[in-house]
């Protein structure tokens, strides 16, 4: 099944295709498309995952806040028809 990601970056609306087999997550896909290095993000995410093993909401909030600080907003996954 094909998906599209719609997001704002640098005050511009952008869209791109997304496939689960090519990217680890939606966040990895949009960061790669914009040329953003996520080395620090993955390190901090792994540490947080070890501390909050059963708390998925904390991880989700961390991802959303980190990408908001990078300048991404309104990240939406859409099905292609």
């Amino acid at each position: 099944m094909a998906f599209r990601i719609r997001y704002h970056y640098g005050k511009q609306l952008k869209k791109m295709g997304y496939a689960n087999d090519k990217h680890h997550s939606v966040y990895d896909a949009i960061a790669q498309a914009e040329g953003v290095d996520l080395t620090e993000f993955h390190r901090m995410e792994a540490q947080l995952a070890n501390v909050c093993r059963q708390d998925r909401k904390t991880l989700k909030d961390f991802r959303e806040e980190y990408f908001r600080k990078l300048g991404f907003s309104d990240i939406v996954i859409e099905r292609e028809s």
Side-chain angles (χ1 to χ4, degrees), residues 45-61 63:
E45 183 182 41
Q47 288 178 350
L48 186 60
N50 284 333
V51 172
C52 305
R53 292 175 194 234
Q54 300 297 322
D55 190 4
R56 292 185 180 191
K57 183 179 182 326
T58 299
L59 283 174
K60 181 181 177 186
D61 291 345
R63 286 185 200 109

Side-chain angles (χ1 to χ4, degrees), residues 7-52:
Y7 62 96
H8 284 89
Y9 183 70
K11 297 183 180 182
Q12 293 181 343
L13 176 63
K14 299 190 178 193
K15 294 182 182 182
M16 65 175 283
Y18 173 73
N20 286 328
D21 60 341
K22 293 183 182 179
H23 302 285
H24 176 58
S25 71
V26 172
Y27 296 101
D28 286 342
I30 61 176
Q32 182 180 9
E34 299 300 333
V36 176
D37 180 25
L38 292 182
T39 305
E40 183 69 15
F41 167 74
H42 287 299
R43 186 185 64 75
M44 291 190 307
E45 183 182 41
Q47 288 178 350
L48 186 60
N50 284 333
V51 172
C52 305

Side-chain angles (χ1 to χ4, degrees), residues 31 65 69 81:
E65 183 62 28
K69 288 178 183 178
S81 49

